[in-house]
Amino acid sequence: MERFKFLRFFSFRTQLDFLPSSNPVRENLINGANTDTNGEHRDGFFSNLVYGFLRRFKSGSKLSSPVRYLEKIDGGSKTEEEEKVYSWLYALARSEIYMAFEYVRSTERGLSFTEAEKRLKENGPNTPLEYTFPSSWHLLWSAFFHPFNIILIVLSALSYITSDNPNGCIMLILVFISVSLRFYQEYGSSKAAMQLSEYVRSPVKVQRCAGRVVQTELIVQVDQRDVVPGDIVIFEPGDLFPGDVRLLTSKHLVVSQSSLTGESWPTEKTAYAREDRNTPLLELKNICFMGTNVVSGTGTGLVVSTGSKTYISAVFSTIGKHKPADSFEKGIRHISYVLVGVMLLVVTIMILVEYFTFYDLSESTLFGISVACALTPQMLPLIINTSLAKGALAMARERCIVKSLSAIRDMGSMDILCIDKTGTLTMNRAIMVNHLDSWGAPREKVLHFAFLNSYFKSDQKYPLDDAILAFVYTNGYRFQPSKWRKTDEIPFDFMRRRVSVILETESNPEGRNIQPFYRFIITKGALEDVLKVCSYVENVDMGEITAVSAEHHHRILNVVEELRNDGLRIIGVAIKNLQQTKISKQNMENEDDVESDMVFLGVIAFFDPPKDSAKEALWRLAEKGVKAKVLTGDSLSLAIKICKEVGIRTTHVTTGPELEQLNQEAFHEKVKKATVLARLTPSQKLRVVQSLQSVGNHVVGFLGDGINDSLALDAANVGISVDSAASVAKDLADIILLEKDLNVLVAGVEQGRLTFGNTMKYIKLSVIANLGSVVSLFIVTLVLRFEPLTPIQLLVQNFLYSVGQIAIPWDRMEEDYVKIPQKWSVKSLPMFILWNGPVCTLCDVATLLFVWFYYSSGGKLDESFFRSAYFIQGLLMQTLIFHLIRTEKIPFIMEIASWPVLASTVVISAIGIAIPFSIIGDFMGFTDLPLSYFGFLVVLFVGYFTVGQIVKRIYIMVYKKWL
């Protein structure tokens, strides 16, 4: 993954060349007393704290204890960089404009070109992150350096040294497959953070000053990479903010922060607000953030942070860093280390015993290498990757793109799915549900005029207009728009947040016809902004229009509050009857005169309905032990409404601002209980995911599609996005859904558990069979004083056994297994081995005793005969043991493996039995076996399955009850 170098952007050791080194005004402002907005005297404590913070921040030292007083603990999870950024921005938001200039050592004229160049050299380019791609050799080394790969390579080299070329070649091929797959995944994921560079490609208007004696203010365009702290930027609609900015002036400024919050609705900003610490950071009115853009309005701002010191960089700085290994990866590594230790110990002992028995070092070494090969689960990489690839193909049929194969396995362990509300649980479109007057009663007149507004507006029609038109047409209303004619229009803008049309008709819709024609201005838009231009309210029941009073205003807000608590989106509707003589004198360019003294009619309510498939999918996920948590930037009331519709419990809910007030312990407890978390920032989504992983020990999936979801997508065990998502979100996701349908995830969970289960089958099979076989070889060597199998016989047996396991990924799992999340258990595997391993060894010892007492002559046992018998018994044991451990039920009776596994078992067993009777067997030193021996094998395996089933049931009862 990428290695990030964070730039130091705040180096304040230099002073402006046009500022005196000692500024009495500055010292007086910082150290002197201040008066707050309420006129209460303050002792200057805050100013001292801010100045102390600035000095510490400039020097790069840790925050002093007074500064920590300014910081609020939100879960105890903020990084040091985030703490600095938060405190810095809050200090600027609470200060006056002239103090902001002091803090960044700038002036109202802007920086000089010399000073700007000096700061650019000190701070470096204004890029959110400076990143370098690791070399291909570095990625290749990371993929190669794994204990299991090292084992196979060492054994392969030793095999070539001892002229066992086929076995050495097979092991190298397995290593190549494993390393290639991992290298491909690492190389593809290393490019994820490149999308942040999208924010640094546009020119910026900057105010600079020039001149030695008389300084002149100049407006110049510079590349966004060249903007430095202290610059004054001028912005207009469409501009991106080049850094974190403290507003200096603003006029009707509306900013979109969707890249940070995920909310599509823009927010108003003003330079003249004085904020306090209780305001959430992203809701500060006088601070604009890097990566956000201007929707409407104009203004100027003072750049206070650039590059890696900005909010977006501090928040997104963890993108691309290595995730900690999950329990499965740790378990595989532990097994690898155990196998290495056991292999070194056993092989050393085997070589020594062999050498002191026959005094042939080369033969003893070759036998030791053969034992090491038998002890190594050579097919593990192939089995794991084949299982994952098979799962990926299965999900591809469900219209999913799997970028990371390991995500398939992690989905099998996933027990919590964090999802965003918009577009995932809902249809992501508005449906009109009601039309109410100011008393909360349904009124057709409100719908009538709202319909006329949507019908005649020539500006771009928004989803709400389509919803109104669809409601009217589908419910049979006959409003006859042909009787109306539009004469003018005031289009929608984000400053007014309303749209007005002026229509005329020959009949008075209010009932009396005393004029040849009538003109109306019809306005609809955001409720608060519609109420601003209303002086009257209509009482339909009484048939009169009265002036808006405080009582009317309070009642309207109460009605709207109830609707919003139900998760509805509200717009207001108002009209004004324009007399012909008056309208002709009005200047349509003066919007304030036209949109004034209007009559408030009522409100239109909209709802983003949940998907029909969402409730079913969440129910199916819950059945499989996957709990859903909603993490959204939307309002809490809207999130609760949707969650109730789809069956998610809303007993415990919380919001981002509430989480920000909590200490670490309370934060984790709140996250554990809450099912709906609303108004979350990107960093809060990240901390929620990390809390669930670290404290709750959960395997977390996260479904998101915005830039604001990137942190959580990167941190989650399974990052899930959609094909319409932001590019950085798709790059960081492990799985991309081609359709926003949660039912696809249900199939993914089932496939993940199938993959996990089949992988665990092979691990259990390999460890039990291989360890049991090696222990048996050791015992038989000590007892018989000769090799129970020659090196070539041992390698052929191991090869046939390994080939037979290729069919494991195509096996099926029991229904009960896929109903619960499956995780690697530290206790279960060792206990399973301890209970089941000795049974295999006992069968081998039973074979030794039977052949010794039944086929020996004069106390002597023919080596070729024993090796033939031991070869067949060992191969059949290792092949048939899979059927015992693959299920908790009785194999072949209550539960039967899939046909590929059964076919593999039959074919490998047949080949193993046939080899001693073939020409190949003669070449390998085998001899024919009597029929009585195969009768013994039937009895042996019946006994093995009987004893094994008893031991398995005892193990299951003991493990589930006590462990």
Side-chain angles (χ1 to χ4, degrees):
M1 302 293 285
E2 291 184 350
R3 297 166 295 173
F4 293 89
K5 299 177 181 178
F6 289 96
L7 307 173
R8 294 188 59 188
F9 276 80
F10 286 89
S11 178
F12 292 88
R13 290 172 293 182
T14 62
Q15 296 185 352
L16 297 182
D17 53 358
F18 50 86
L19 284 179
S21 58
S22 177
N23 191 336
V25 176
R26 173 182 174 181
E27 294 177 2
N28 182 57
L29 287 173
I30 293 177
N31 298 324
N34 291 325
T35 304
D36 63 11
T37 57
N38 296 325
E40 297 178 359
H41 180 74
R42 300 178 66 182
D43 59 2
F45 177 61
F46 169 72
S47 298
N48 287 321
L49 289 179
V50 172
Y51 185 53
F53 165 75
L54 293 172
R55 294 182 61 186
R56 301 276 183 176
F57 193 50
K58 296 171 189 176
S59 62
S61 62
K62 293 183 179 180
L63 297 175
S64 60
S65 56
V67 173
R68 294 190 182 276
Y69 171 82
L70 290 174
E71 301 177 10
K72 293 188 177 178
I73 304 172
D74 66 336
S77 303
K78 284 183 183 175
T79 64
E80 185 177 351
E81 289 297 322
E82 285 184 84
E83 290 175 350
K84 289 181 179 180
V85 170
Y86 270 60
S87 296
W88 171 248
L89 293 178
Y90 271 116
L92 288 161
R94 298 177 66 174
S95 65
E96 295 285 358
I97 292 176
Y98 60 85
M99 287 296 295
F101 282 110
E102 291 291 324
Y103 294 155
V104 297
R105 305 178 73 84
S106 184
T107 68
E108 295 179 357
R109 295 188 300 272
L111 299 177
S112 69
F113 288 92
T114 303
E115 177 63 21
E117 184 177 353
K118 184 187 300 183
R119 293 193 181 190
L120 183 61
K121 290 180 180 179
E122 293 175 351
N123 299 329
N126 177 28
T127 56
L129 298 172
E130 183 183 359
Y131 47 85
T132 57
F133 286 108
S135 65
S136 300
W137 290 109
H138 176 81
L139 292 175
L140 186 61
W141 174 255
S142 299
F144 167 79
F145 193 76
H146 187 280
F148 187 77
N149 292 331
I150 301 300
I151 295 173
L152 290 180
I153 290 175
V154 171
L155 293 178
S156 176
L158 293 176
S159 298
Y160 278 111
I161 292 173
T162 55
S163 301
D164 185 16
N165 296 336
N167 197 57
C169 182
I170 291 171
M171 286 186 281
L172 285 181
I173 291 174
L174 296 177
V175 171
F176 176 78
I177 294 174
S178 176
V179 172
S180 298
L181 287 173
R182 186 175 178 188
F183 172 79
Y184 175 78
Q185 295 174 20
E186 291 290 334
Y187 184 77
S189 61
S190 66
K191 300 179 182 179
M194 286 189 65
Q195 302 305 322
L196 289 177
S197 62
E198 294 176 0
Y199 296 130
V200 292
R201 298 300 179 191
S202 58
V204 180
K205 290 182 180 179
V206 177
Q207 178 178 304
R208 297 270 173 87
C209 59
R212 293 182 177 273
V213 180
V214 179
Q215 293 183 338
T216 304
E217 299 172 4
L218 300 175
I219 305 299
V220 296
Q221 278 196 342
V222 300
D223 189 89
Q224 191 160 351
R225 294 168 57 90
D226 299 331
V227 174
V228 296
D231 268 331
I232 296 176
V233 294
I234 298 94
F235 43 82
E236 56 191 20
D239 288 345
L240 284 170
F241 287 99
D244 291 342
V245 173
R246 169 61 161 92
L247 293 177
L248 301 177
T249 62
S250 61
K251 181 179 180 181
H252 308 313
L253 182 61
V254 178
V255 175
S256 172
Q257 298 187 152
S258 60
S259 60
L260 299 179
T261 64
E263 295 184 6
S264 58
W265 198 257
T267 181
E268 295 181 8
K269 298 283 186 177
T270 176
Y272 314 107
R274 286 288 301 276
E275 300 288 0
D276 57 40
R277 185 70 192 199
N278 294 325
T279 305
L281 185 69
L282 293 178
E283 296 180 13
L284 295 175
K285 294 294 185 182
N286 56 10
I287 299 292
C288 296
F289 302 91
M290 186 178 194
T292 62
N293 64 282
V294 180
V295 175
S296 64
T298 58
T300 61
L302 178 66
V303 178
V304 297
S305 303
T306 58
S308 64
K309 297 300 182 183
T310 58
Y311 172 78
I312 192 172
S313 295
V315 169
F316 289 92
S317 60
T318 59
I319 286 181
K321 294 185 178 179
H322 285 289
K323 299 179 185 179
D326 59 24
S327 59
F328 186 89
E329 293 173 346
K330 291 178 181 178
I332 292 294
R333 287 187 176 272
H334 290 162
I335 286 181
S336 300
Y337 294 138
V338 169
L339 287 177
V340 170
V342 172
M343 184 178 66
L344 292 175
L345 177 63
V346 172
V347 169
T348 302
I349 296 175
M350 296 290 288
I351 291 176
L352 291 175
V353 171
E354 183 81 5
Y355 175 74
F356 286 111
T357 302
F358 304 103
Y359 297 100
D360 188 342
L361 183 59
S362 61
E363 185 68 19
S364 301
T365 304
L366 181 59
F367 181 72
I369 294 174
S370 303
V371 172
C373 292
L375 185 60
T376 304
Q378 302 173 18
M379 302 298 290
L380 182 58
L382 186 61
I383 294 296
I384 292 177
N385 291 319
T386 302
S387 298
L388 296 176
K390 178 177 175 292
L393 291 175
M395 291 196 68
R397 290 191 290 269
E398 300 289 340
R399 294 185 57 76
C400 289
I401 298 174
V402 180
K403 293 175 56 185
S404 173
L405 291 179
S406 60
I408 301 292
R409 182 194 65 234
D410 291 336
M411 287 196 73
S413 304
M414 183 176 70
D415 54 356
I416 287 183
L417 176 63
C418 299
I419 55 181
D420 187 13
K421 174 190 68 63
T422 305
T424 303
L425 297 179
T426 65
M427 295 182 179
N428 201 20
R429 62 183 177 88
I431 292 180
M432 181 182 159
V433 293
N434 222 330
H435 44 94
L436 310 173
D437 62 15
S438 58
W439 274 261
R443 294 297 175 191
E444 184 176 313
K445 186 175 182 179
V446 179
L447 177 62
H448 186 186
F449 282 98
F451 166 79
L452 292 175
N453 180 288
S454 297
Y455 184 88
F456 282 102
K457 60 174 288 194
S458 58
D459 192 23
Q460 177 185 0
K461 283 189 168 51
Y462 292 94
L464 298 186
D465 295 307
D466 295 334
I468 293 173
L469 297 177
F471 184 86
V472 171
Y473 294 144
T474 56
N475 287 277
Y477 290 99
R478 304 291 182 183
F479 291 140
Q480 298 179 315
S482 60
K483 293 185 177 182
W484 294 79
R485 182 174 64 88
K486 186 176 79 170
T487 61
D488 215 330
E489 177 177 353
I490 305 176
F492 178 88
D493 63 63
F494 285 101
M495 180 188 70
R496 294 165 42 255
R497 296 199 301 171
R498 57 183 180 263
V499 59
S500 298
V501 295
I502 297 178
L503 307 178
E504 66 177 29
T505 181
E506 295 181 355
S507 60
N508 187 356
E510 296 180 334
R512 294 176 296 174
N513 291 316
I514 58 176
Q515 296 180 10
F517 60 89
Y518 298 84
R519 288 183 178 177
F520 290 88
I521 177 172
I522 307 172
T523 300
K524 79 175 191 306
L527 177 69
E528 293 78 6
D529 292 275
V530 171
L531 285 174
K532 286 179 184 178
V533 297
C534 290
S535 301
Y536 307 95
V537 62
E538 183 176 45
N539 189 334
V540 178
D541 291 336
M542 299 180 63
E544 61 181 15
I545 295 176
T546 58
V548 175
S549 63
E551 181 183 353
H552 288 137
H553 195 270
H554 183 70
R555 184 186 63 253
I556 293 172
L557 293 182
N558 285 341
V559 170
V560 171
E561 183 66 22
E562 292 180 3
L563 294 173
R564 286 175 173 169
N565 288 338
D566 288 334
L568 301 180
R569 185 173 177 179
I570 305 300
I571 63 171
V573 181
I575 63 170
K576 181 179 179 181
N577 191 342
L578 303 172
Q579 297 295 332
Q580 181 180 4
T581 55
K582 291 184 179 181
I583 191 64
S584 62
K585 298 178 182 179
Q586 288 180 338
N587 184 359
M588 290 306 301
E589 294 181 358
N590 192 339
E591 300 168 354
D592 294 336
D593 290 341
V594 178
E595 295 179 329
S596 64
D597 297 329
M598 303 190 71
V599 180
F600 183 78
L601 293 184
V603 297
I604 304 292
F606 302 89
F607 183 51
D608 185 5
K611 292 180 178 178
D612 295 334
S613 60
K615 187 171 185 178
E616 176 191 359
L618 290 173
W619 179 76
R620 292 175 63 192
L621 286 171
E623 270 194 328
K624 298 185 181 304
V626 180
K627 298 179 181 178
K629 288 181 179 286
V630 174
L631 277 59
T632 180
D634 289 334
S635 66
L636 180 61
S637 59
L638 184 57
I640 290 176
K641 171 68 175 179
I642 296 296
C643 290
K644 287 181 178 179
E645 292 284 338
V646 298
I648 297 178
R649 292 184 179 181
T650 57
T651 307
H652 299 285
V653 298
T654 188
T655 63
E658 291 176 0
L659 292 176
E660 197 169 337
Q661 309 296 323
L662 302 178
N663 59 32
Q664 185 173 357
E665 183 178 352
F667 176 87
H668 295 314
E669 186 64 25
K670 177 68 73 172
V671 169
K672 175 183 176 182
K673 293 181 178 180
T675 54
V676 181
L677 300 94
R679 296 180 63 197
L680 296 182
T681 64
S683 58
Q684 286 172 335
K685 289 183 179 182
L686 168 66
R687 293 175 191 130
V688 169
V689 170
Q690 291 176 332
S691 174
L692 294 171
Q693 290 172 323
S694 59
V695 179
N697 195 29
H698 295 289
V699 177
V700 181
F702 186 90
L703 174 57
D705 57 3
I707 297 176
N708 58 307
D709 297 321
S710 300
L711 285 175
L713 281 170
D714 188 51
N717 300 93
V718 184
I720 309 166
S721 191
V722 294
D723 62 340
S724 58
S727 56
V728 66
K730 289 190 289 186
D731 282 343
L732 292 170
D734 302 306
I735 297 174
I736 298 177
L737 308 182
L738 300 181
E739 295 179 357
K740 287 186 177 182
D741 188 354
L742 291 179
N743 283 293
V744 176
L745 297 182
V746 178
V749 167
E750 294 175 347
Q751 195 63 46
R753 291 175 186 176
L754 176 64
T755 300
F756 186 92
N758 284 334
T759 304
M760 290 304 300
K761 289 176 187 177
Y762 176 78
I763 292 174
K764 292 178 179 179
L765 170 65
S766 298
V767 175
I768 291 176
N770 292 357
L771 284 178
S773 176
V774 170
V775 171
S776 301
L777 286 172
F778 180 69
I779 294 173
V780 172
T781 301
L782 291 178
V783 172
L784 298 180
R785 310 294 292 177
F786 64 80
E787 296 174 351
L789 291 173
T790 64
I792 190 173
Q793 293 170 349
L794 188 60
L795 292 174
V796 169
Q797 183 192 63
N798 186 59
F799 174 76
L800 291 174
Y801 157 71
S802 298
V803 171
Q805 311 313 314
I806 294 178
I808 290 179
W810 282 266
D811 195 19
R812 54 173 170 259
M813 298 300 302
E814 300 175 19
E815 292 184 4
D816 293 340
Y817 187 88
V818 298
K819 288 183 179 180
I820 58 175
Q822 301 298 328
K823 298 181 181 180
W824 183 282
S825 175
V826 178
K827 295 180 180 179
S828 64
L829 187 59
M831 290 295 298
F832 188 87
I833 295 171
L834 290 175
W835 278 82
N836 294 274
V839 180
C840 298
T841 304
L842 288 176
C843 290
D844 292 337
V845 172
T847 302
L848 168 64
L849 295 176
F850 175 78
V851 174
W852 178 276
F853 290 107
Y854 197 78
Y855 295 109
S856 63
S857 175
K860 293 183 179 182
L861 189 61
D862 181 71
E863 293 183 14
S864 297
F865 182 87
F866 179 80
R867 286 169 178 164
S868 301
Y870 197 75
F871 175 86
I872 293 177
Q873 183 270 334
L875 181 61
L876 294 179
M877 173 64 70
Q878 291 180 335
T879 303
L880 294 175
I881 190 178
F882 174 77
H883 296 272
L884 180 66
I885 67 173
R886 64 171 298 275
T887 176
E888 294 182 0
K889 301 177 181 178
I890 301 176
F892 301 113
I893 298 176
M894 298 177 64
E895 177 68 19
I896 302 177
S898 63
W899 72 264
V901 174
L902 290 174
S904 173
T905 300
V906 172
V907 171
I908 296 300
S909 299
I911 293 175
I913 294 173
I915 283 179
F917 299 93
S918 64
I919 299 176
I920 298 176
D922 296 336
F923 171 77
M924 295 173 59
F926 289 134
T927 186
D928 296 342
L929 296 173
L931 188 61
S932 58
Y933 176 73
F934 292 98
F936 161 75
L937 289 180
V938 173
V939 175
L940 176 68
F941 289 127
V942 170
Y944 167 72
F945 277 100
T946 303
V947 175
Q949 190 67 24
I950 295 173
V951 171
K952 182 169 63 176
R953 297 308 303 172
I954 295 175
Y955 159 76
I956 292 172
M957 290 188 295
V958 172
Y959 179 78
K960 289 184 176 180
K961 184 174 182 179
W962 301 105
L963 301 178

